[in-house]
Amino acid sequence: MNYWLLKSEPDTFSLDDLASRPRQTEPWDGVRNYQARNMLRDQMRIGDQILFYHSNCRIPGVVGIAEVASTPRADPTAFDPQAKHFDPKSDPSRPRWYLVDVRYLRHLERTIPLAELKHHAQGALEGMPLVQKGNRLSVMPVTPEQWRFILALE
DNA sequence: GCCAACGTTGGC
DNA sequence: GCCAACGTTGGC
């Protein structure tokens, strides 16, 4: 099993939104970054555990736990001219973008702010893209050690 | 293949 | 709202 961190802007789609979906599950569409796509498409497995992160908000940080609930498949929003992340270069016969379903598991007892995680950028979280300057990856791997460390802060 | 211009991300 | 950092695009 793998561990991941997924970023989402709570104004667009929050952990509460995920929790209130039917079956508490949502297709994670709109990923349009190749690095993120490759991890999602090639490495995500059903049951992988996810740190759910809120970005671009008052207190950015890890807010909950989710899990991968499907195998990767083509992202249909890339084919839809009306969709926000429509990509004319993605074709159903040769999809460029992929998604997995994400299922809600739980909220953390408290938000673990990015500012707090950054205290450990030279320690337990060394090398984690999230705490490195200028990083913009919205899908990133988390090591088992980082996973345990972050949840121990809860 | 280089790189300037441009668009986006996302913390602050 | 600002702006640094980064990825992508496209002319050459």
Side-chain angles (χ1 to χ4, degrees):
Chain A
M1 185 187 57
N2 301 308
Y3 297 104
W4 306 98
L5 181 143
L6 293 188
K7 292 181 185 173
S8 189
E9 302 194 10
D11 289 348
T12 305
F13 190 78
S14 69
L15 184 62
D16 286 339
D17 292 330
L18 181 62
S20 51
R21 280 293 190 270
R23 297 185 311 283
Q24 301 189 309
T25 300
E26 181 78 355
W28 204 255
D29 59 28
V31 171
R32 297 292 182 270
N33 170 283
Y34 289 103
Q35 229 186 316
R37 192 261 334 246
N38 291 347
M39 290 187 284
L40 193 153
R41 182 192 61 186
D42 303 333
Q43 295 178 47
M44 282 198 178
R45 301 284 180 272
I46 291 176
D48 283 1
Q49 301 292 106
I50 297 165
L51 293 173
F52 199 104
Y53 178 90
H54 279 172
S55 67
N56 205 7
C57 56
R58 193 167 62 85
I59 303 178
V62 177
V63 294
I65 310 288
E67 68 177 354
V68 175
S70 78
T71 52
R73 63 179 184 279
D75 180 346
T77 66
F79 311 138
D80 176 5
Q82 310 304 322
K84 183 178 177 197
H85 298 288
F86 171 60
D87 182 354
K89 293 176 192 158
S90 189
D91 184 272
S93 67
R94 230 171 162 274
R96 175 174 295 202
W97 304 112
Y98 287 76
L99 58 73
V100 293
D101 290 340
V102 169
R103 178 184 298 129
Y104 172 83
L105 289 180
R106 68 178 180 92
H107 280 69
L108 298 192
E109 292 164 27
R110 68 177 184 104
T111 296
I112 302 173
L114 176 64
E116 183 175 340
L117 296 173
K118 279 186 168 174
H119 295 156
H120 308 282
Q122 262 75 43
L125 300 182
E126 179 135 45
M128 189 181 191
L130 186 72
V131 297
Q132 287 168 358
K133 189 179 167 191
N135 175 72
R136 292 164 36 184
L137 259 189
S138 65
V139 175
M140 72 182 75
V142 175
T143 68
E145 292 77 18
Q146 290 163 352
W147 177 274
R148 280 195 298 273
F149 180 82
I150 291 169
L151 290 185
L153 298 173
E154 184 179 1

